[in-house]
Amino acid sequence: MSAAANDDTGTAGREARHPAGTPPRRRRVVGLVDTDSFAKWGAHLLSAAPPHWSLELLTVATPRSASRAQLRAAFRDVDARLGPIDLAPPEPLSVDEVVARLQADPPDAVLVSCIGPVAEVLMDQVLRSVPRRPVLVSGLPGISFPAKWKGVFLRARADLFVLHSHREVREYRSLATSGGVEPSFALATLPFARSTGAPRAGVVRDSVVFAAQPSVPAEEEDRRRVVTWLADTARAHPEWRVVVKTRAAAGEQQTHRETFPYADLLPADAPSNLVVEAGPMSLHLERAVALVTISSTAVLEAAARGVPALTLTDFGTSRALINEVFVDSGLEGTADDLVHGRFGRVRPEWMADNYFHTAGDDDWADRAEELMRLRDAGRLVDRPAARRSRGGALRRAWERRNALGDHDRSVIGRVAALIGTPIRAVKRSVRQARRVVRPALTPVVAPVSVERLRDRDEELVTGRDAR
């Protein structure tokens, strides 16, 4: 039987639904999380799982693992099946400890909600080590448009890859197919784009919340401009609290590295109603008059709650800014709109294709259930990796060391690092030299194909996108 059993057709999810009157089989599903955004996404996606799924969540120890405070914020309002993890987040476990638990009691499925390099390592370990291996589900935690090859490349072995809009599914299916990876994409409503009902009584809306992002915009000068706009807004509207909502306190790790934290850029003469705060976004949105961002997923969370929003386009619209998806959304605006308090609401014609599809379109749980039934029958097929690198066990040890850093304490990992680090340095130097020489020799630069990307190093590079 080929991997086509795990296909990406629009009817696959419907096939997994149980006939009326047939009680579903009890399923055990374990979620694995590491960074702040993946922890929040993984826990809340599982919270939407069918009631016959028994849920457990483990935190994986990596260089970017979320702190206890970040986990408490990420786990707020999760399903009771996960336990009181918002009060007592699970202690981080090493990859070896996680795999040992799965070996001792293999679940029906595992949700691998981790940054790409860690997800790749975990899936490889499960496929190699866990008997009657569980169904592997993975995905991306927020806005994932336009599609990114690295996201596909590092999760190619997942039986199911969860995305959050019809548009994303189309884009990722096209990208995967062009790169030689068989599509396995499923649709789920983004957990933070679900309506939450009426707000708590007695909460006063008095805040304009800026959803800060660690890497957008990237340059210090641009981030200082944002701070200036926020300060101008606070001065123009003394009745508002203008909140720079950060995702990490000093010293805490994030999914993407932050070089110039906004808290460090506030001027000494900042108005008193311009404040920097962390904590759950849901609590901030309860007090929000409006939500402002460059491209954060929080704008969808705001829209779902009926909170006006603004996506700033002063830096342009581009793939790097992760804001192309908001074109024609009704939420675009400028710093001038911010200072004058002009905020938007989502256009209905934009919503269905972009994160606000009807709940009946979601097929991720149905398709996961079908894959679990294939596992029951011994017919679950391993999906091939997209990585074509040579090197065998030593190369796998290098990828593990590269993903886990000092959390990998294996001897072969240290050996791989000693051998691989200078090789990578040389390869980077050669690539940089080619970039300098090539423009002078070739006036017209050919577009980079997915196939060429397959043969390049795909390891985690400090400061770059790790998804």
Side-chain angles (χ1 to χ4, degrees), residues 129-248:
S129 307
V130 178
R132 290 193 64 249
R133 62 97 172 170
V135 172
L136 294 171
V137 181
S138 194
L140 297 173
I143 295 170
S144 303
F145 179 91
K148 295 183 178 179
W149 171 243
K150 185 174 285 188
V152 175
F153 181 94
L154 296 172
R155 297 173 179 82
R157 305 196 77 179
D159 300 296
L160 203 63
F161 190 128
V162 179
L163 295 167
H164 302 102
S165 77
H166 288 293
R167 191 177 186 182
E168 286 184 354
V169 170
R170 288 196 307 272
E171 291 285 322
Y172 271 87
R173 182 185 295 126
S174 175
L175 180 65
T177 301
S178 66
V181 175
E182 186 174 354
S184 61
F185 302 109
L187 184 64
T189 298
L190 191 67
F192 328 120
R194 301 191 190 104
S195 176
T196 57
R200 290 182 301 158
V203 176
V204 177
R205 293 194 177 275
D206 61 355
S207 304
V208 170
V209 180
F210 174 70
Q213 294 163 275
S215 57
V216 176
E219 301 300 324
E220 180 180 6
E221 180 182 352
D222 291 339
R223 295 171 81 84
R224 288 190 182 277
R225 287 175 64 192
V226 173
V227 169
T228 298
W229 300 335
L230 294 171
D232 290 343
T233 303
R235 294 188 185 98
H237 301 276
E239 73 279 14
W240 291 343
R241 297 169 69 249
V242 178
V243 180
V244 181
K245 196 283 181 190
T246 61
R247 287 167 43 179

Side-chain angles (χ1 to χ4, degrees), residues 200-435:
R200 290 182 301 158
V203 176
V204 177
R205 293 194 177 275
D206 61 355
S207 304
V208 170
V209 180
F210 174 70
Q213 294 163 275
S215 57
V216 176
E219 301 300 324
E220 180 180 6
E221 180 182 352
D222 291 339
R223 295 171 81 84
R224 288 190 182 277
R225 287 175 64 192
V226 173
V227 169
T228 298
W229 300 335
L230 294 171
D232 290 343
T233 303
R235 294 188 185 98
H237 301 276
E239 73 279 14
W240 291 343
R241 297 169 69 249
V242 178
V243 180
V244 181
K245 196 283 181 190
T246 61
R247 287 167 43 179
E252 291 180 324
Q253 298 295 322
Q254 301 181 71
T255 302
H256 305 288
R257 298 186 188 278
E258 185 167 29
T259 306
F260 306 107
Y262 283 104
D264 297 343
L265 303 180
L266 263 63
D269 62 347
S272 59
N273 59 327
L274 175 61
V275 298
V276 178
E277 294 179 355
M281 177 59 76
S282 58
L283 291 182
H284 286 283
L285 288 175
E286 287 186 350
R287 296 183 60 176
V289 173
L291 185 286
V292 183
T293 189
I294 308 297
S295 60
S296 171
T297 302
V299 75
L300 304 177
E301 196 169 347
R305 291 168 174 261
V307 176
L310 183 65
T311 60
L312 298 173
T313 58
D314 302 80
F315 304 110
T317 301
S318 69
R319 183 185 185 91
L321 291 170
I322 326 173
N323 62 356
E324 293 173 322
V325 72
F326 292 115
V327 172
D328 296 327
S329 66
L331 303 176
E332 299 164 285
T334 66
D336 187 67
D337 293 312
L338 170 60
V339 175
H340 287 88
R342 297 189 292 261
F343 307 105
R345 293 187 182 275
V346 181
R347 290 177 180 152
E349 59 270 27
W350 181 87
M351 296 177 72
D353 207 33
N354 295 279
Y355 308 105
F356 292 96
H357 54 269
T358 62
D361 292 348
D362 287 351
D363 65 354
W364 77 277
D366 287 340
R367 293 185 58 191
E369 190 76 38
E370 173 62 21
L371 288 164
M372 286 186 267
R373 287 202 285 272
L374 287 174
R375 175 181 181 267
D376 295 342
R379 296 192 295 123
L380 185 63
V381 177
D382 291 352
R383 299 177 64 87
R387 190 183 296 280
R388 299 292 184 263
S389 306
R390 293 181 293 274
L394 192 62
R395 176 70 193 210
R396 290 195 300 272
W398 161 254
E399 300 301 343
R400 175 186 163 111
R401 180 76 178 188
N402 193 46
L404 303 180
D406 291 341
H407 291 277
D408 172 33
R409 297 182 173 86
S410 66
V411 173
I412 191 172
R414 289 195 292 271
V415 171
L418 289 172
I419 296 173
T421 300
I423 293 174
R424 182 173 64 171
V426 170
K427 292 174 72 173
R428 283 181 179 170
S429 297
V430 170
R431 284 202 299 269
Q432 289 169 355
R434 285 176 178 169
R435 292 192 193 104

Side-chain angles (χ1 to χ4, degrees), residues 32 60 95 98-99 102 110-130 133-140 150-161 184 382-386 396 400 403 467:
L32 308 178
V60 184
V95 166
V98 168
V99 172
L102 299 178
V110 173
L111 172 65
V112 184
S113 179
C114 301
I115 61 172
V118 175
E120 183 184 37
V121 168
L122 282 166
M123 286 189 281
D124 179 75
Q125 293 281 97
V126 170
L127 286 163
R128 290 177 179 278
S129 307
V130 178
R133 62 97 172 170
V135 172
L136 294 171
V137 181
S138 194
L140 297 173
K150 185 174 285 188
V152 175
F153 181 94
L154 296 172
R155 297 173 179 82
R157 305 196 77 179
D159 300 296
L160 203 63
F161 190 128
S184 61
D382 291 352
R383 299 177 64 87
R396 290 195 300 272
R400 175 186 163 111
R467 298 176 77 178

Side-chain angles (χ1 to χ4, degrees), residues 19-89:
T22 303
R25 175 175 173 174
R26 191 77 173 168
R27 298 294 186 184
R28 178 167 162 263
V29 179
V30 176
L32 308 178
V33 303
D34 57 355
T35 69
D36 56 334
S37 58
F38 277 97
K40 182 177 180 181
W41 175 72
H44 286 268
L45 181 69
L46 287 179
S47 293
H52 63 281
W53 289 15
S54 172
L55 306 177
E56 181 183 359
L57 192 138
L58 304 175
T59 303
V60 184
T62 76
R64 299 196 195 179
S65 293
S67 69
R68 291 185 64 80
Q70 287 174 305
L71 291 176
R72 284 194 293 269
F75 296 153
R76 187 173 184 269
D77 297 327
V78 298
D79 192 277
R81 286 173 291 174
L82 288 167
I85 58 175
D86 57 330
L87 301 177

